[in-house]
Amino acid sequence: MILSIDIRATTILARIWKWLLFHSFFVVTVYFLMKYLHVNISMATIISMIGIVLSILMGFRISSAYDRWWEARKIWGAVVNDSRTLARQLITFTSTAAIDPVHLQGMVHRHIAFVYAMAGRLRHQNTTEQIKPFVFEDEWHSLANRGHQPNLLLLHNLYAFKKMEADGLVSNFEFLALDGTMQRLTDSLGAAERIKNTPFPVPYSYFTSFLVHVFATMLPFGIIEVFGYIAIPIAISVIFIFLTIEQIAIEIQDPFANKENDIPVTAISQAIEIDLKEMLGDRDLPQKDNAKNGVLM
Amino acid sequence: MILSIDIRATTILARIWKWLLFHSFFVVTVYFLMKYLHVNISMATIISMIGIVLSILMGFRISSAYDRWWEARKIWGAVVNDSRTLARQLITFTSTAAIDPVHLQGMVHRHIAFVYAMAGRLRHQNTTEQIKPFVFEDEWHSLANRGHQPNLLLLHNLYAFKKMEADGLVSNFEFLALDGTMQRLTDSLGAAERIKNTPFPVPYSYFTSFLVHVFATMLPFGIIEVFGYIAIPIAISVIFIFLTIEQIAIEIQDPFANKENDIPVTAISQAIEIDLKEMLGDRDLPQKDNAKNGVLM
Amino acid sequence: MILSIDIRATTILARIWKWLLFHSFFVVTVYFLMKYLHVNISMATIISMIGIVLSILMGFRISSAYDRWWEARKIWGAVVNDSRTLARQLITFTSTAAIDPVHLQGMVHRHIAFVYAMAGRLRHQNTTEQIKPFVFEDEWHSLANRGHQPNLLLLHNLYAFKKMEADGLVSNFEFLALDGTMQRLTDSLGAAERIKNTPFPVPYSYFTSFLVHVFATMLPFGIIEVFGYIAIPIAISVIFIFLTIEQIAIEIQDPFANKENDIPVTAISQAIEIDLKEMLGDRDLPQKDNAKNGVLM
Amino acid sequence: MILSIDIRATTILARIWKWLLFHSFFVVTVYFLMKYLHVNISMATIISMIGIVLSILMGFRISSAYDRWWEARKIWGAVVNDSRTLARQLITFTSTAAIDPVHLQGMVHRHIAFVYAMAGRLRHQNTTEQIKPFVFEDEWHSLANRGHQPNLLLLHNLYAFKKMEADGLVSNFEFLALDGTMQRLTDSLGAAERIKNTPFPVPYSYFTSFLVHVFATMLPFGIIEVFGYIAIPIAISVIFIFLTIEQIAIEIQDPFANKENDIPVTAISQAIEIDLKEMLGDRDLPQKDNAKNGVLM
Amino acid sequence: MILSIDIRATTILARIWKWLLFHSFFVVTVYFLMKYLHVNISMATIISMIGIVLSILMGFRISSAYDRWWEARKIWGAVVNDSRTLARQLITFTSTAAIDPVHLQGMVHRHIAFVYAMAGRLRHQNTTEQIKPFVFEDEWHSLANRGHQPNLLLLHNLYAFKKMEADGLVSNFEFLALDGTMQRLTDSLGAAERIKNTPFPVPYSYFTSFLVHVFATMLPFGIIEVFGYIAIPIAISVIFIFLTIEQIAIEIQDPFANKENDIPVTAISQAIEIDLKEMLGDRDLPQKDNAKNGVLM
């Protein structure tokens, strides 16, 4: 997630400059061709209509991309909430029973491992090493070469909860409440994977991109006749605007792509770790990573 | 679901080329008629207004179609989540009881059968053979010539859960939680059938399509007077744009139509099978089908 | 719900032809007045602006109408889902108890009666005869002259469920689950009544309609000066477009009005009856009514 | 809620006629000034652009206002649903116990008092007299001079439910279900108060209104030069359109303001009273107030 | 939250006057340059198109900002509802048990402390002093130097509820219901923090702002040629409109920024305190702070 203003222009420019250069070159070429060959083509009206069509499509594109991004953010918000709820339930439900503190801490830490494993899976990162401090050693070995680590960590924790119930440490009711929390966490995991694995409909995004380039190609013919040399900066500005809007939509629509505009899943995972350890009574809390160069990952 | 870029143009073109050809031919005809008969009709303003009206309608059309597609995707996301939840509940709830592993596996496998039967029903495919490996043989015979297989599979599984409760393998509370999961799966099944069986309001889609063709017919009269021969490629480009937008909306709005732009229900069903077998401890997991030619079904 | 394409044009035309004729007549009158009286009024710009304002309002109108229609469809989808859930719960919850099969069937059939009574109430139809086969005779007499039949049928079924609990046929837990299903059905009933009884805000729909006619009246003054006789078909086309869009919104916005574009509540009710009887093990299922002339009611 | 068409024009006109008169006067003044002073100012293009900007803002304004109105209607729909659910739960839960019928009726009537108290609070009306027939006399005295009557009525009813549980008339499970219904009613009460107490963001509504008047002031300069005297009716028509759209948004955005376009909370409360009394078996049901002059309050 | 109309203009003007002055100066400069250097650049068409693109982007911007603001308001509405539900549950659940009134009051007051601590955290204010009257002294000392006070207050209250259950003051069922209320409060806390900590996507807001200034810079070139000196007030008006719309979006999109347009969290917290104390039977209720100068914080 980008927090600082300074890096914004750079990020976008780095991704569109090639196309911008190409279209700028094309605009200048058309200008000299029309001037020296005395070609007169004027199609301001039709260009204006295509521009409006493109704007309406872009409006849809940008709002869909924003909705994906905000939905992804909400999913991680739900992970934060359910993590706090889970820890609070585990701590208080066992507060009147003779539970081994190591056991209680083990379950909360396994949940922290789940959060890191979920974050890693969404960015296609191997989190086997990252979860090591949070799970028991034999469990860690059993997870190392398996397929879906976060899903298995949820399974392992519910095993532990069931065992607590069998041992009389929590009641049937409390086990049911813990199962409900696990179900909501499963929903968040699946929803994040859904956004990760489902690209924005390819025909939409491809066609909008195609239309931007068609428009950029027709634009000089539409305005050079009317404006003369001043048409060159104008055309380049307008093309720059549309390329930028499209690039922003591309940035935002994949919120787990390990880019600057991502949902900052690493930072959120750390915040969860800190909150949960504080609830356990730890006084020696880890430090949050600060945003680096205005970007929070 | 289309993943690759290469096949996009082909898919759309294959569906609109006849109309595109027809309108191109019409544009050229109007051009020569107006040139040799010296007919002068110019209606750029009104064409531009109709173009904007059409764009606003198209914006609504494309965003409604996208909403249907995304809702369908969310429904299958919910099936993934509730399948994992169901398996996790079954496995852990019975972990402290003396359950026959074959019985446990039987219930999880019946759920996998449900997922395949739901996928098949949405695509009007007979899944009787496909579910055979996942249900007991006599159950399979009883399902073979029945009406609504996925609904009956949910019923059979809840029977089995009730029997477990009667046998003391799961508690009242756990049976209630399993019943809740079944209810959410019923909701997903019904919601997917709703999208499948309810076409986008026919008057809307018909009228938008009609308006595109009216616009395409009026367009040459609107611009040939002003632009001359250059109007021919312009008119064809603009008609191409509107035909494409409309075609994309048509592709997307029926997300279970067994076409390239479908929700990839087969792939999702396989992923569920793999996840659930992994949770059961199977080491010999099936392979995922890869996307063929950039299309994932 | 209209399924076939052939009847579409007829449906809409049947509702707008009077206005279309009136405005066409007006357009022709203005043409001859301006021609023979040499009146010159040209207001293309302002007409174009009003056209765009009208389009934006129409875009809002059509998307609100569509949202109402889709919400109504979702409500009936929820009735389908909760009906299946209710039947599945009743059948399995009592599967290990010595329940009288007639009693079980009675409750499921009473629910089918509820579905038909709800469908009838939304269309202001008396369903007293229609529900007769599904309820016990004395119950039917008590319902015949009462106010809110579907609400009372829900009450009667929950009475029956409570009695089952008192008789030990279902547990406290199961009764709670059945009560939850009844609550969701109550929500669906109330939501459908809300849409039925709350017209789209009258000032909105009235004003949009008024604006369409103002626009239709100004249009000939705006374009006859510029286009001459060709303005006549153009003006009529444009007026036709706006009248049609408005008419579509009117059709769609009242989804329980017993018209061709309704939610097909009768067909959905029959589908529920078939599904529930199949779950009870009936082999002699009723036939679905097919769509008549492309319209499914 | 306005049901009849006849009063619509009057309602809106009554609220905008002063501004309409002022701007009409201004338009005529500008016309004569420009004519006799030979001032030539033409700014059709810029007027047209501002008109479109204004339309887009108005589109947002009208759809936000509609969303508030529809959300308010949904909240009251939820009150209807939960009232029926609560009555059904109370009646059936106690059907196998030896409950005093007066006690049962007392709880249902207290809920009817809650509904009237909620309706009155939203319209800043004192409902102390109105709830008198529905609560016991000493309770009524204790409520008379308190702050938040509907909230206290919910509290009193839950007290009564808890007492029933302590007396063994309902089970723990049933008490939990009743508590859940009370929680949903609390949510509806709070949501309606939220809409009542949170005005549409003041800067938005103020600025849109300001822009309408700026546009109305610039409009005559933009079109008198081009259209001559015919500009006067055109300008007034266009100004009328924008003033009306704005006024409609203002009407709709405060759905509990005791105006004609309100959510008809009184009528809904009466319908709840009738439904609940019918469920109790009362044969002597109150009559619904009919809509007066096409307005339902 | 701004309630009064009088301060509106001032608030917005105070934030945009520098840019407005700069652009006004620029417009006048361009006017004199073009007049005395006889430079002729006219680009009305392209300016008009950029204006429309900008309007569509602004429409998206303003509606996203409004959605954030309304979501934030809904979250605080949920806090109100769940606070009333929690107090009602605590009071009634313990009404038939021998609970120490101080203990009951302690839990309700701790919840009031939670509400103030949540409000303070969202505005980055230290609430250690503010919560002092509502918690026991040793608890207050333990909270003073901790990280996440509202989260810890939720934990402490659930501890107290669990202890009540262990002491037999509330049943298992009631403890489960209280846990559910705490879970919903956790969700509201997390959702408010999500909005607070997630800025509106920086590239979007930066780019829209950039585009406003580009448009403002191009505008004089587009209209001075056509309108002459009258272009100066027109250009300034149009620039003022766009600057204002952008500023409104900026104001609204961060609803917890301690500004005039904030969600009035302090006032809402006080209202919760009053409601809860009234439910406890207190007759000596605190006074609500009135809106100061038309602004409610």
Side-chain angles (χ1 to χ4, degrees), chain C residues 39 41-46 49-50 52-53 56-57 60 64 68 71 121 142 145-149 151-152 154-156 158-159 162-163 165-166 172-173 175-176 179 182-183 186-191 193-195 197-207 210-211 214 218, chain D residues 1-5 8-9 12 44 47-48 51-52 55-56 59 62-63 65-66 69-70 73-74 77 81-82 84-85 88-89 91-96 171 173-174 176-177 184 215 219 223 226-227 230 234 238 240-242 244-245 248-249 252 261 275 278-279 281-283:
Chain C
V39 180
I41 307 167
S42 170
M43 41 191 191
T45 324
I46 206 79
M49 203 195 78
I50 297 183
I52 293 175
V53 173
I56 292 173
L57 279 180
F60 165 68
S64 306
R68 279 172 73 97
E71 188 186 351
R121 188 173 175 88
S142 80
N145 46 2
R146 298 296 291 281
H148 201 313
Q149 286 182 1
N151 191 31
L152 292 173
L154 288 177
L155 179 66
H156 293 185
L158 199 63
Y159 262 123
K162 176 67 190 176
K163 187 150 187 317
E165 190 211 23
N172 288 338
F173 292 87
F175 178 63
L176 198 67
D179 178 60
M182 296 312 266
Q183 180 230 311
T186 309
D187 289 351
S188 296
L189 171 62
E193 289 181 303
R194 163 170 54 80
I195 290 182
N197 296 330
T198 314
F200 192 78
V202 173
Y204 273 119
S205 46
Y206 181 74
F207 179 70
F210 171 76
L211 195 53
V214 165
M218 289 173 80
Chain D
M1 193 168 58
I2 296 180
L3 295 176
S4 149
I5 285 174
R8 286 174 305 203
I12 298 293
I47 278 294
S48 164
I52 293 174
S55 303
I56 291 173
I62 220 167
S63 94
Y66 175 73
W69 180 84
W70 193 233
R73 184 63 191 80
K74 278 190 175 166
N81 301 342
D82 290 322
R84 290 175 182 168
T85 292
R88 191 177 56 243
Q89 287 177 328
I91 294 170
T92 57
F93 289 178
T94 59
S95 63
T96 56
S171 69
F173 292 87
E174 290 162 346
L176 198 67
R184 290 195 305 278
F215 178 76
L219 188 59
I223 61 177
V226 188
F227 297 154
I230 201 81
I234 295 179
V238 172
F240 169 73
I241 289 170
F242 279 111
T244 304
I245 300 178
I248 292 176
I252 297 286
N261 279 304
D275 279 356
E278 187 182 50
M279 290 169 83
D282 286 14
R283 290 277 163 176

Side-chain angles (χ1 to χ4, degrees), chain E residues 196-271:
Chain E
K196 172 73 180 177
N197 296 330
T198 313
F200 192 77
V202 173
Y204 273 118
S205 47
Y206 181 73
F207 179 69
T208 316
S209 175
F210 171 77
L211 196 52
V212 168
H213 292 297
V214 165
F215 178 77
T217 310
M218 289 173 81
L219 188 60
F221 297 100
I223 61 176
I224 283 171
E225 172 78 11
V226 187
F227 297 154
Y229 69 90
I230 201 83
I232 296 178
I234 295 178
I236 295 176
S237 303
V238 172
I239 292 168
F240 168 72
I241 290 170
F242 279 111
L243 284 176
T244 304
I245 300 177
E246 203 218 340
Q247 188 58 40
I248 292 176
I250 291 173
E251 298 283 301
I252 298 284
Q253 77 191 359
D254 290 321
F256 301 120
N258 223 349
K259 289 182 305 188
E260 291 91 339
N261 279 303
D262 268 23
I263 302 296
V265 293
T266 310
I268 295 175
S269 302
Q270 284 179 335

Side-chain angles (χ1 to χ4, degrees), chain C residues 189 246 255 261:
Chain C
L189 171 62
E246 203 217 342
N261 279 304

Side-chain angles (χ1 to χ4, degrees), chain E residues 83-99:
Chain E
S83 299
R84 290 176 182 168
T85 292
L86 184 71
R88 191 178 54 244
Q89 287 176 328
L90 286 172
I91 294 169
T92 57
F93 289 177
T94 59
S95 63
T96 56
I99 193 172

Side-chain angles (χ1 to χ4, degrees), chain B residues 7-110:
Chain B
I7 61 153
R8 285 175 305 202
T10 343
T11 319
I12 298 294
L13 273 180
R15 296 208 169 92
I16 66 170
W17 71 270
K18 282 184 197 168
W19 277 111
L20 192 59
L21 204 70
F22 168 79
H23 283 298
S24 303
F25 183 77
F26 183 77
V27 166
V28 174
T29 311
V30 171
Y31 174 72
F32 285 105
L33 276 178
M34 290 180 79
K35 189 162 178 187
Y36 294 106
L37 300 180
H38 300 287
V39 181
N40 279 340
I41 307 168
S42 169
M43 43 190 192
T45 324
I46 206 80
I47 278 293
S48 164
M49 205 195 78
I50 297 182
I52 293 175
V53 173
L54 192 53
S55 303
I56 292 173
L57 279 180
M58 279 293 181
F60 165 68
R61 180 101 162 78
I62 221 166
S63 94
S64 306
Y66 175 74
D67 286 349
R68 280 173 71 96
W69 179 84
W70 193 232
E71 188 186 352
R73 185 63 190 83
K74 279 190 175 167
I75 291 166
W76 272 91
V79 172
V80 171
N81 301 344
D82 290 322
S83 298
R84 290 176 182 166
T85 293
L86 184 71
R88 190 177 56 244
Q89 287 176 328
L90 286 172
I91 294 170
T92 57
F93 289 178
T94 58
S95 64
T96 56
I99 194 173
D100 178 1
V102 173
H103 187 187
L104 174 62
Q105 197 197 44
M107 291 182 294
V108 175
H109 278 196
R110 187 181 291 116

